[in-house]
Amino acid sequence: MENFVFYSPTYFLFGKNEEEKAGKYVRRFGGSKVMVHFGGGSVKRSGLLDRVEASLAAEGIAYVELGGVRPNPRSGLVYEGIELCRREGVDFILAVGGGSTIDSAKAIAAGVVYEGDFWDYYQDKPVEKALPVGTVLTIAAAGSEGSPDSVITKEDGMFKRGASGEALRPVFSILNPALTQTLPPYQTACGITDIMAHLLERYFTNTKDVEVTDRLLEGLLLTMVHEAPRVIADPDNYEARANIMWAGMMAHNNSCGVGREQDWASHAIEHELSAVYDCAHGAGLAVVFPAWMTYNMKHDINRFAQLAVRVWGCQMDFAHPEVTAKAGIDSFQRFLKSIGMPVDFAELGAKEDDIPAMAHNACYGDGGCGEIGGFVKLKEQDVVNIYKLMI
Ligand code: NZQ
Ligand code: ZN
């Protein structure tokens, strides 16, 4: 196991009606003037925004609103939010929504207290200072409610990039699984896929003897395999939603990724797809991940076979571990299809002609070093080959 530092100070409130405490926790974490940030309208339609704002009012906390965050959030609204917060003297940002809203809130929080362009943080400058962010989560997916990351698309060039830093971990996150019951099945499935991708990005490692995190990752993957069909069949299944929601947080606050090298090439390859075609991140990953696995299986066949046996219940073929490894990838792809995810470029609306530009951008775009991935280092031609497997 590699040396590591793990500091994850987010205060989690989990369960039914916990959003009613939002105001109380904003006060507890020092907020006196809040910007309430939200997306395209789901939180208005569900009445959640009213309830959260009522809880702020009950604590006598003033607030301004900024809605309109779109999936794959854009830099334009971030600049708008930074201006609004400065003008209004905002000292706390409350994100009510999904990963896109939370990521936009984090970008604004970092930008408000920084004199330069907030985009510097999306070009590898660590975020050391930001306004405090609290979240009321409405979809189990990105894990931004517990992560030190934010992903934003810069409209100039359509670069989708991530920023990181401990200052970006939310000070509190409210997770009420019942709030996710209004999700359309497709969005539920996209979230499930993203959660599994976060586990797999960590599972594929060159670090030896990391049994504790291997087993945590496998346990969470098995939980997703068990709960996904239950929630797709019955969207009101609170217990299944609860297990998925907590798995989503654990998959990405890095408690099961510490001390081990991680990969993340699939995310970089997917971010090009969601930047170019504006597809849902999880849907893009459903197409990317099996292709990435197929291309890289030979790098460590035993690790792929281990996953196939322990998570997908495949029989180990000791004489031909590549057969077992392949059977695991096939099971994963069948599972994704069964929950309604796309399997290829056509279903995503992606075009073969765009492959060279996307591969170039993934490796070199906006300051890239020409190589992506930790488990396997991929060059531009490898990324082209992986995209081609998706056709
Ligand atoms: O905008 P509204 O109207 O709220 O609708 C949203 C949106 O259309 C809808 N939705 C969310 N909760 C709902 C709901 N509809 C009905 N009922 C509810 N309860 O769902 C749609 C998707 O929302 P979004 O916030 O985009 O989803 P998600 O949480 O999957 O976030 C995706 C973004 O997170 C980034 C992705 O790249 C993508 O931009 N990621 C962020 C990470 C991080 N910060 O750590 C890590 C991830 O790997 C990921 O890259
Ligand atoms: Zn993701």
Side-chain angles (χ1 to χ4, degrees):
M1 203 185 291
E2 296 169 4
N3 291 8
F4 66 85
V5 172
F6 183 63
Y7 179 63
S8 180
T10 305
Y11 196 109
F12 291 102
L13 291 89
F14 191 98
K16 291 174 187 165
N17 302 323
E18 290 292 319
E19 66 275 12
E20 286 163 15
K21 298 178 187 153
K24 189 174 149 210
Y25 279 83
V26 168
R27 179 166 297 295
R28 177 174 172 155
F29 286 99
S32 61
K33 178 80 184 271
V34 175
M35 187 186 90
V36 181
H37 204 30
F38 55 94
S42 72
V43 298
K44 282 197 167 173
R45 288 191 296 279
S46 66
L48 173 63
L49 191 67
D50 286 345
R51 295 205 301 283
V52 167
E53 290 180 349
S55 83
L56 292 172
E59 291 290 326
I61 297 169
Y63 61 87
V64 290
E65 281 185 358
L66 182 64
V69 183
R70 48 186 293 178
N72 303 316
R74 304 294 164 92
S75 53
L77 194 68
V78 173
Y79 290 115
E80 210 181 299
I82 291 169
E83 284 313 307
L84 178 68
C85 287
R86 286 180 181 159
R87 201 167 59 238
E88 295 283 341
V90 164
D91 59 14
F92 193 102
I93 302 182
L94 184 59
V96 186
S100 295
T101 296
I102 299 172
D103 285 2
S104 182
K106 288 175 173 180
I108 295 168
V112 171
V113 294
Y114 178 57
E115 282 181 9
D117 184 346
F118 91 92
W119 192 254
D120 293 348
Y121 291 126
Y122 294 77
Q123 293 183 303
D124 287 340
K125 182 180 165 68
V127 184
E128 283 166 1
K129 213 170 140 212
L131 289 183
V133 173
T135 85
V136 180
L137 184 66
T138 61
I139 171 172
S144 191
E145 67 277 12
S147 85
D149 310 313
S150 157
V151 183
I152 299 289
T153 301
K154 182 165 93 168
E155 276 130 328
D156 179 11
M158 294 307 280
F159 293 110
K160 188 175 184 186
R161 293 290 181 270
S164 216
E166 294 304 336
L168 290 184
R169 293 222 198 230
V171 292
F172 73 80
S173 280
I174 298 179
L175 278 57
N176 174 358
L179 298 178
T180 68
Q181 285 172 205
T182 54
L183 277 166
Y186 185 76
Q187 289 296 344
T188 298
C190 285
I192 287 166
T193 308
D194 193 19
I195 293 168
M196 294 178 80
H198 294 164
L199 297 165
L200 292 169
E201 295 278 20
R202 294 177 165 90
Y203 196 76
F204 292 109
T205 185
N206 294 309
T207 313
K208 300 289 174 217
D209 293 326
V210 279
E211 188 72 3
V212 61
T213 41
D214 267 3
R215 293 296 187 175
L216 285 170
L217 292 163
E218 289 159 3
L220 289 165
L221 282 164
L222 283 165
T223 301
M224 299 307 291
V225 174
H226 176 72
E227 297 293 18
R230 295 196 332 136
V231 84
I232 296 293
D234 175 13
D236 291 332
N237 186 329
Y238 177 86
E239 298 305 332
R241 293 246 181 228
N243 282 307
I244 291 171
M245 199 168 210
W246 194 238
M249 201 297 295
M250 288 205 286
H252 202 45
N253 85 331
N254 211 29
S255 47
C256 50
V258 291
R260 55 195 287 144
E261 183 184 44
Q262 304 178 10
D263 191 71
W264 296 99
S266 297
H267 266 68
I269 293 170
E270 191 294 313
H271 284 166
E272 295 308 317
L273 292 170
S274 42
V276 176
Y277 306 109
D278 209 13
C279 58
H281 172 60
L285 285 167
V287 177
V288 171
F289 230 108
W292 177 92
M293 290 168 93
T294 304
Y295 190 74
N296 293 306
M297 203 171 77
K298 58 189 176 303
H299 179 74
D300 183 352
I301 204 75
N302 290 330
R303 180 147 282 274
F304 282 85
Q306 175 179 295
L307 179 75
V309 171
R310 292 184 182 175
V311 172
W312 297 109
C314 301
Q315 281 294 323
M316 183 67 200
D317 183 338
F318 290 98
H320 305 100
E322 68 283 0
V323 173
T324 312
K326 179 73 173 58
I329 298 170
D330 291 346
S331 299
F332 182 31
Q333 205 160 26
R334 270 197 305 279
F335 167 86
L336 293 170
K337 202 173 160 61
S338 76
I339 60 169
M341 285 289 91
V343 294
D344 59 22
F345 249 41
E347 279 190 79
L348 268 187
K351 297 190 191 65
E352 190 175 353
D353 290 352
D354 293 331
I355 287 178
M358 289 193 295
H360 184 77
N361 251 344
C363 294
Y364 292 101
D366 207 37
C369 69
E371 209 172 64
I372 56 170
F375 174 63
V376 184
K377 309 252 180 285
L378 300 174
K379 302 241 187 290
E380 190 174 339
Q381 187 56 48
D382 297 308
V383 178
V384 167
N385 297 344
I386 291 172
Y387 278 129
K388 285 191 172 163
L389 289 177
M390 303 174 208
I391 294 166

